Amino acid sequence: MSQSTPFTLFVDEGWRREEIFHNSFLMKGIEHDEALDFCVKNSDNNGLPPIAVGPNEGKYLQLQAKAIGAKRILELGTLGGYSTIWLARALPDDGELITCEFSPKHAEVASQNIEHAGLSSKVKVLVGPAAEALAKMDSAQKFDFVFMDADKAGYPAYLDYCKTLVRKGGVIIMDNMVFGGRVSDPEVKDNKNIDGLRKTLEDLGNSSEFEATTLQTVGARSWDGFTFVLRV
């Protein structure tokens, strides 16, 4: 979903045209969203990589969170807080979003953007390795929704923590699971990101605690995909 794939891909003009066409109907007003615009500009001005989800993907995450009535959301990989803002807007007044970011600089910029969007009361940014943050969380306080868009090598460990941190019926969206076709390519070897994604698929396939399916995506920026996971 995001363009956080470290490789260049051919983007068919038809993919781009179709995305723009659909967005013209379904994303009306997004160009006038001051908080999101500030988030993008402030992230760019601070040198953050342009790898956040697109607005259509942000809205998809928001709608998924709304659809299940999420009150507690976990995000792994904050970057500049663009997806964080989309997700936090899905929460009720008493909702909470915890987002984990490894880079102190990214976390600082994200906090600025979240504050500017008026969402600081709902969002807590944790700085440091996601696995360490997850290990310290109270398993009695379950999450309803998880968006995973961090270090792909860490996905298997993050998924394992979700067994205790996510409620039954909760949803996990794992981004960049197709990686431009690299995941299925036998020629791609000794790549920690790809190895992590392959292990994640293996773990999901053998799990009695999750049901999952992967959807490939193409659009204005890349060929990728996400895995939709249900905690059963």
Side-chain angles (χ1 to χ4, degrees), residues 39-77:
C39 179
V40 172
K41 291 181 179 178
N42 190 42
S43 297
D44 289 345
N45 290 340
N46 279 279
L48 272 62
I51 57 175
V53 301
N56 55 331
E57 297 157 343
K59 187 173 183 180
Y60 171 81
L61 294 170
Q62 184 185 87
L63 292 176
Q64 286 285 2
K66 284 184 175 181
I68 64 168
K71 293 187 68 174
R72 294 194 80 233
I73 295 175
L74 173 65
E75 180 182 51
L76 303 176

Side-chain angles (χ1 to χ4, degrees), residues 113-127:
N113 296 336
I114 292 163
E115 181 177 4
H116 185 85
L119 295 167
S120 295
S121 63
K122 294 183 179 181
V123 179
K124 183 177 182 180
V125 182
L126 302 181
V127 184

Side-chain angles (χ1 to χ4, degrees), residues 26-39:
L26 305 178
M27 302 296 296
K28 291 179 179 179
I30 188 66
E31 66 274 13
H32 304 301
D33 192 312
E34 193 275 336
L36 290 175
D37 186 54
F38 177 89
C39 179

Side-chain angles (χ1 to χ4, degrees), residues 159 170-174 204 210-213 227-231:
L159 182 66
V171 168
I172 305 164
I173 303 291
M174 310 179 78
L204 284 169
F210 300 113
E211 291 185 8
T213 188
T227 298
F228 183 103
V229 184
L230 179 68
R231 173 76 168 88

